Every structure is written in C-alpha cells, then in structure tokens.
C-alpha cells in the first residue's frame, strides 16, 4: 500500500487518544480497590521453600548452641553438608560465618582469617559483613597484624551506624593502635567510645586512658598526646606525667618548662596547686646557681618542633659546660615564646627582672626579635638568636648577636666557593617568587657583583610550578646575545656524521653556573627541564637542598651541583661527628640545624664565662672583641652585623650522593 501522510497522522492521533484515556482511567480508579489489591498477600508458589528456610534457621540456632557449649567439632560436622550447597544457597553467608567462628574456637586462627577474608569477597552486601569485619579485626590483632586490623575495622565503622558495631569497632581499634604503638590514636578511639557511653559507665575507659599514659607512653608519645589535646583531657594527664618524669630524672629544664605550660593551659585544674609548689621549688633552685641563662623558645603551636630541637642543643651544651664549670654554677630558665605578640615583651621582661640572667638565647623568629628589640640594651643582657635570618642584628642594639645561618651568610660562602675554588665568574639566577627566594636572589646578585662576577640574567618561578620553559628560554636568549653559542652537535664516532649543511646546532651556555634555590621537589623538576633545554651547567643551591629526597627525584640532572649548609650529617669533620653521636645518644634522633645553631649559641656563652665573664655586659664585651669562640665548624667570631661568621659546609652531588667538599 502506498504511504498516505494524512492516514498516518490520523492513526497516530487515535493511538495517542487511546493512551490518554487509559491514563485518565487509571488516575480516577477508586482508591479502596487499589488498597485492596496492595494488601492481598502473595502466596508462596512453593510452600516447601518456607519449610526449608525454617529448618535451616533451626540448624543455625543448633550450631550456635554447640559453639556456646564449647563444641566446635560438632558444630563443624553439622555445617559440612550445609556448606557443600555452595555460595548461592540460601543462608550460605550465615553458614560461612559460623564456620569461621567454629574454626576460631578450635584455635585455628589463620584458617579462620582465610575464611573471613573469602567471606568479605563473596558476600560484600551481606547483612553479616559488619560482624565478619569485627571478627576479622579481632583475629588480626591476635596475630599482631595491626595495620590489617586498622584497615578492616575502620571499614566496619565507616559502613555501619549500628551502635553495637560502633562500640565494638572503637574498642578493637584502640587495641590495634595500642599494638602498633600509636597511643595517641588509641586514646582517640577510647574517647570516641566514651562519647557514646553513659556517664556512670565511663570509669573503665578513663582507667584505660590513664593506664596508657602512666605505663606505656614514652616522652615522645606523651608530647604527641599533649599536642592533640593541648588544653583539655587527657592533655592534662599527659603534662602531669611529663612533669613527674622530668622531676624524677632531675631534669630541671624540662620540668620547669612543663610546669609553666601546665599553669598556663590548666590554671583551674586540681593539680594546679601542686604545680605552683613545684614551680616555686624550681625557681629557688634556678636562682641558687651562680649564673643563670634564659632561653625563649616556642614549646607549643606550629613552631614547637623547632623550639624542642633548639632546646635539645642548649641542653647538650649545658651538660658539657657543667663538666668544666661545675653543676652548681649554671642554671637555665626557659620561657615559651608561642604566646600572643603583644604579651611576649612583658613575659621576657619579667624573666629578666626575676632571674637576672647573664645571657638569653632566643627568640627563633625574626619578627619576635623585633618585638623584644629594646630589651637587651635596657637590661644589659646579650640576646643570641640561634635561627632568625637577620643579616644585621646590631641594628636593634649593642647587645644583639646571632649564631644563625642567615641568608646573606649562606650566599656569601656559596659565592666565595664558586668563584675562588671552582673558578666561576658568570652566573644566571632562577629563584622562587617568594619573599625568601627574592631575598636569596638579591643577595646572590649583590655578592657576585661585589666579587667582580657577572650576572647574565635572572628569572623567577612560582612555587610548585610544572612549567618554567618561558623563563628558561628568556635566560637562553639573553645569554645568546652575550656569550652563549649555537654550535654543531658532536656525533659519537660510531654514528655517521651528517652531510655538510645538515649539521644539528646545539645551545652551549656562555655562563658557568645557575643559581637555583628552592624546595627539593621544585629543584628536581627544574633541573630536569634545564637539561631538556640544553642548559647543562653546574647548579648552585640553598640549604633547602639538604634533603635525601632531592637525590631520589633529580639525581641524574644534579650531578656536579653544589649547595651550602651549617650542618651536614655525613660531615668528615670529627667535631661535628662527635656532636651528632652525643645528640643521638641523648635524644634518640638526628640533630637539626636548629639544634646545631642553638648548641653553638650556648657554647659561646659558656666560653665567655670560662674566660672570666660574670655579668651580661662582660659577656657582651667578649662577644664583641674575641675571634676564637668554639663552634662546630671550628673557631669563629661575630661580624660587624652581630652574626657569627660560622663555617658553611659546601656539599656537592657526586655519583648520586651528597659529598662534603670543603
């Protein structure tokens, strides 16, 4: 039949009309009839299935009863024919879980673990997965597999809102973290469990936390716990424990520091009266010493690790000094500098008035130096900052000194090595576009020019960049306009040379080295990109290069590159190695540059006392005129800006390793 457009259209309209009428009829159907249809029970087409389910449930209850009665062999005998039906059989997940419990009851823990791991793979949406995860976590703990236990138990807690599952999960998780030695996390799990526990049932959990603090936690883990709960329970218990430990050890420095922290953080605590009494006792002991040295360092907040390192260096030098000057000669008072800026000058002034120290070490930060800038001259007490990167601390007064590796000192030593030892004279700069990077670039430019060198070009890059090709191309273009060349590529003997006129030209830099300070990840990436653009010159870096990951990320493109630092753990200097060994023995960790520079600050002060200084003014006078202060790098003196002209170790990348070259 030929196609008829009009007929087709009429048919479509008729069909649509029929559909519309049916839809309207469905919407207007009496409601009671719909309800009657919905409530009509659906009969099981196979009544035998319901009977079989009931029988299987009876078997499950019987197997559970056998397990409760301590008869796992009989339970397994009942399970064996049921498990043969396969994973698709009704209640197969229940039988598999019971099998794991029966095997566990027989003491076959490893076999039970295998069954439960298979259970979670085969029945990922079973209603019994929570129970399986909890049991598997418990078995992992029994077999000292803490990491696996933490993973499976965390999964259980993340997937379930059931209160019982949550409670059991937290309880097992704290056992797993305790097994791993992560006591702070174990405490956190106990606290989560406590939040869901009625007040009258929390005693056991509090006893558990106290037991960890008193019996298992080391000084380091107590410090971690205190960082996590700095002004609330159980931070108070951790701090009390630290006070007790340091008092028992006779460590006046740390005990006094912890008591001050406790009174600041928990002024209304029941233990506060005891802390005040202890504090008064320590103050009397400190004042009884012939000479008192103050230390103003951060012992809380983000800067706490650096303050702790610096204090460790001070304590090590103090211990050595007491062997020469006598234990009753030297006392030290510490003050936490991690307080509001407006409060810091008042707190430091109070220390100066009460203890009358012969010298003060600190603060660490340049902005804090400025906040207390007028106090040294007012009190006639020399302040020695071990880390503030200020090239001229004398601008703040006659009693200011520094043992820090300042930006200018670092660059001065690097340029001196590059120009005098390596014979370089022409340089390019590629520095991060940060305040620190800009300061390094300015100093490098200035010091190279003062020494008769030449800066060909300078560019900056964004921290974390993945593309500095534009900057590198501008450096090349500038160099090509002065000294760089495009020379024919020299083919190896084994390769056929190109025909005349077909030579490949390659960029040959006209400068000797590239100054590339920055974070190790940036330096590794940029060194590779420089090599890609044929900028194949030695690189010069900052002390931020002193990181093992730098070699892991950019070993091949950093060969022959050099940077400087005030501390090198692989140094060939015997004095440095002796310091590192003593530090490791006392504190069970490697010293940082903060520890080394604070160690030098304390040694310098103690050396003035050994040479007869009895007042702050006399200490200051010696710091001005002497040139033989003992430091880790050898004898040294303070320069015109008040900064110690310390040795900076030149470290080169050679054969994929850091090697000291001076």
């Amino acid at each position: 039949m030929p196609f008829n457009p009009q007929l087709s259209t009429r048919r479509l309209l008729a069909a649509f009309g029929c559909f519309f009428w049916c839809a309207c009829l469905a919407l207007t159907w009496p409601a009671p009839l719909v309800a009657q249809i919905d409530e009509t029970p659906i009969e099981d087409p196979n009544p035998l299935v319901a009977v079989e389910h009931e029988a299987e449930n009876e078997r499950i209850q019987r197997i559970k009863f056998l397990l409760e009665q301590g008869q796992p062999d009989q339970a397994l005998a009942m399970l064996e024919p049921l498990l043969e039906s396969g994973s698709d059989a009704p209640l197969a997940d229940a039988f598999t879980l019971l099998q794991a419990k029966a095997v566990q009851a027989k003491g076959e823990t490893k076999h039970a673990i295998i069954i439960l791991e298979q259970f979670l793979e085969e029945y990922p949406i079973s209603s019994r997965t929570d129970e399986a995860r909890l049991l598997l976590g418990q078995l992992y703990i029994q077999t000292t597999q803490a990491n696996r236990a933490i993973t499976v138990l965390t999964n259980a807690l993340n997937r379930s809102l059931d209160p019982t599952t949550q409670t059991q999960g937290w309880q097992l998780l704290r056992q797993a973290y305790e097994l791993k030695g992560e006591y702070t996390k174990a405490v956190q799990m106990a606290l989560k469990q406590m939040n869901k526990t009625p007040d009258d049932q929390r005693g056991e959990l509090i006893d558990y936390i106290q037991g960890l603090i008193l019996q298992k936690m080391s000084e380091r883990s107590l410090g971690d716990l205190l960082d996590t709960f700095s002004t609330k329970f159980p931070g108070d218990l951790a701090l009390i424990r630290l006070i007790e430990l340091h008092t028992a050890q006779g460590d006046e420095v740390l005990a006094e520091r912890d008591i001050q922290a406790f009174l600041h953080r928990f002024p209304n605590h029941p233990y506060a009266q005891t802390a005040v009494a202890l504090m008064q006792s320590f103050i009397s002991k400190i004042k009884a010493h012939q000479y008192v040295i103050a230390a103003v360092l951060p012992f809380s907040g983000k800067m706490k690790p650096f303050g702790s390192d610096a204090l460790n260096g001070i304590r090590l030098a103090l211990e050595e000094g007491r062997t020469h000057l006598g234990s009753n000669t030297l006392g030290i008072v510490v003050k936490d500098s991690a307080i509001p800026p407006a409060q810091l000058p008042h707190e430091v002034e109070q220390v100066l008035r009460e203890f009358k120290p012969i010298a003060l070490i600190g603060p660490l930060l340049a902005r804090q130096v400025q906040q207390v800038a007028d106090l040294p001259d007012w009190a006639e007490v020399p302040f020695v900052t071990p880390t503030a990167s200020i090239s001229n601390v004398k601008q703040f007064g006659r009693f200011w000194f520094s043992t820090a590796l300042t930006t200018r000192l670092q660059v001065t030593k690097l340029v001196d090595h590059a120009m005098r030892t390596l014979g370089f004279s022409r340089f390019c700069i590629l520095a991060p576009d940060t305040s620190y990077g800009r300061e390094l670039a300015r100093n490098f430019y200035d010091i190279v020019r003062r020494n008769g060198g030449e800066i060909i070009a300078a560019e900056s890059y964004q921290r974390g960049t993945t593309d500095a090709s534009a900057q590198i191309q501008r450096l090349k273009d500038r160099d090509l306009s002065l000294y760089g060349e495009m020379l024919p590529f020299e083919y190896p003997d084994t390769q056929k040379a190109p025909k005349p006129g077909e030579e490949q030209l390659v960029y040959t830099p006209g400068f000797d080295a590239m100054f590339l300070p920055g974070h190790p990840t940036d330096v590794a990436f940029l060194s590779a990109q420089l090599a890609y653009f044929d900028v194949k010159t030695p690189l010069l870096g900052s002390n931020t290069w002193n990181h093992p990951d730098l070699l892991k990320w950019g070993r091949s493109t950093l060969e022959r590159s050099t940077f400087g630092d005030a501390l090198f753990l692989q140094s060939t200097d015997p004095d440095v190695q002796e310091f590192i060994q003593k530090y490791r023995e006392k504190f069970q960790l490697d010293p940082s540059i903060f520890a080394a520079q604070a160690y030098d600050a304390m040694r310098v002060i103690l050396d003035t006392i050994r040479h007869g200084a009895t007042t702050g003014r006399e200490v200051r006078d010696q710091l001005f005129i002497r040139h033989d202060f003992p430091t880790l790098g050898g004898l040294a003196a303070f320069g015109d800006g008040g900064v110690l002209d310390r040795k900076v170790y030149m470290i080169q990348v050679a054969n994929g390793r850091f090697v000291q070259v001076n």
Side-chain angles (χ1 to χ4, degrees), residues 42-55:
I42 300 175
E43 295 184 1
D44 191 338
N46 187 357
L48 294 176
V49 173
V51 173
E52 185 177 345
H53 282 186
E54 185 177 351

Side-chain angles (χ1 to χ4, degrees), residues 444-490:
F444 190 87
Y445 186 95
D446 178 53
I447 294 167
V448 166
R449 296 288 297 274
R450 288 184 181 220
N451 283 273
E454 184 178 1
I455 301 296
I456 305 300
E459 290 285 343
S460 64
Y461 64 88
Q462 295 297 317
R463 172 78 180 84
T465 185
T466 56
D467 185 12
S469 56
Q471 296 94 313
I472 295 172
Q473 190 59 54
R474 287 195 293 269
L475 290 170
K476 287 178 62 174
D477 291 344
R478 175 62 178 165
D479 181 41
L480 285 168
S481 71
L482 295 173
Y483 307 107
E485 297 179 288
M486 298 296 293
L487 299 176
F489 177 75
E490 296 183 3

Side-chain angles (χ1 to χ4, degrees), residues 268-317:
N268 301 317
H269 195 280
Y271 185 80
Q273 289 185 346
T274 302
V276 168
L278 283 172
M279 191 67 201
Q280 292 300 325
S281 173
F282 277 112
I283 289 173
S284 299
K285 288 181 180 178
I286 292 168
K287 289 181 177 180
H289 292 95
Q290 185 177 357
Y291 304 108
V292 175
I293 299 166
V296 178
L297 307 167
F299 300 125
S300 56
K302 294 180 180 180
M303 292 295 294
K304 177 184 175 181
F306 309 111
S308 297
D309 284 356
L311 183 60
N312 286 346
I314 291 170
R315 291 169 61 203
L316 187 59

Side-chain angles (χ1 to χ4, degrees), residues 105-366:
K106 289 185 66 177
E108 299 175 6
T109 306
K110 292 183 179 178
H111 186 195
I113 287 174
I114 293 171
I115 294 170
L116 288 168
E117 289 173 342
Q118 291 174 346
F119 176 95
L120 293 174
E121 288 182 9
E122 293 181 13
Y123 309 106
I125 59 173
S126 167
S127 61
R128 297 174 173 85
T129 53
D130 289 345
E131 187 179 358
R133 287 191 178 96
L134 292 176
L135 180 55
L136 182 56
Q138 179 185 340
L139 296 180
Y140 281 146
I141 292 169
Q142 289 178 9
T143 54
T144 66
Q145 300 181 72
N147 288 329
R148 288 190 171 187
I150 290 167
T151 300
V152 74
L153 292 169
T154 302
N155 250 332
L157 289 169
N158 289 340
R159 293 169 181 266
S160 176
L161 297 176
D162 175 62
T164 302
T165 301
Q166 292 278 313
T167 300
Q168 293 178 3
W170 287 323
Q171 183 172 347
L172 289 168
L173 257 181
R174 60 180 162 93
Q175 293 178 27
Y177 281 122
E178 185 180 344
L179 175 65
K180 197 178 177 184
E182 296 184 6
Y183 298 115
T184 297
K185 289 186 177 179
V187 169
Q188 288 174 318
M189 294 303 106
L191 291 172
K192 285 186 176 182
Q193 188 177 350
M194 189 184 297
N195 290 337
K196 300 293 184 180
T197 304
D199 291 346
D200 59 347
Q201 299 176 21
R202 294 182 176 182
E204 182 181 347
L205 290 167
I206 292 174
D207 290 343
Y208 169 79
I209 293 171
Q210 289 178 336
L212 283 182
I213 291 172
L214 295 175
Q215 299 170 20
K216 294 197 173 183
M217 298 184 78
S218 64
E219 288 187 33
R220 185 173 297 180
S221 56
L222 287 169
D224 292 339
L225 185 64
L226 183 58
D227 289 341
T228 307
F229 303 97
S230 59
T231 58
K232 59 183 179 181
F233 175 84
D236 53 346
L237 296 184
L239 200 42
I240 290 170
R241 179 59 177 160
L242 284 169
I243 293 170
E244 292 174 346
L245 285 173
H246 294 144
T247 302
Q249 295 165 2
D251 196 327
E252 300 171 2
V253 178
L254 295 186
E256 182 217 346
R257 179 200 66 180
D258 296 336
I259 294 168
Q260 286 187 17
F262 188 90
L263 292 173
H264 175 70
R265 299 180 190 188
F266 306 101
N268 301 317
H269 195 280
Y271 185 80
Q273 289 185 346
T274 302
V276 168
L278 283 172
M279 191 67 201
Q280 292 300 325
S281 173
F282 277 112
I283 289 173
S284 299
K285 288 181 180 178
I286 292 168
K287 289 181 177 180
H289 292 95
Q290 185 177 357
Y291 304 108
V292 175
I293 299 166
V296 178
L297 307 167
F299 300 125
S300 56
K302 294 180 180 180
M303 292 295 294
K304 177 184 175 181
F306 309 111
S308 297
D309 284 356
L311 183 60
N312 286 346
I314 291 170
R315 291 169 61 203
L316 187 59
L318 177 66
E319 189 176 277
E320 293 173 2
R322 282 176 170 169
T323 61
H324 300 289
L325 298 169
S327 59
N328 295 325
T329 304
L330 302 170
I332 184 167
V333 57
V334 297
K335 191 69 181 178
D336 189 358
S337 63
I339 55 179
Q343 189 178 339
L344 183 62
H346 301 290
E347 295 287 339
V348 175
E349 182 180 340
Q350 183 180 348
V351 169
L352 294 172
R353 289 183 182 277
E354 183 170 4
F355 292 93
K356 296 178 174 53
I358 195 170
L360 184 146
I361 299 174
L364 295 190
L365 303 177

Side-chain angles (χ1 to χ4, degrees), residues 54-67:
E54 185 177 351
E56 288 184 344
N57 281 322
E58 289 179 1
R59 291 190 188 98
I60 288 173
Q61 296 305 318
R62 175 62 181 165
I63 292 167
K64 287 182 178 179
F65 176 78
L66 289 172
L67 290 175

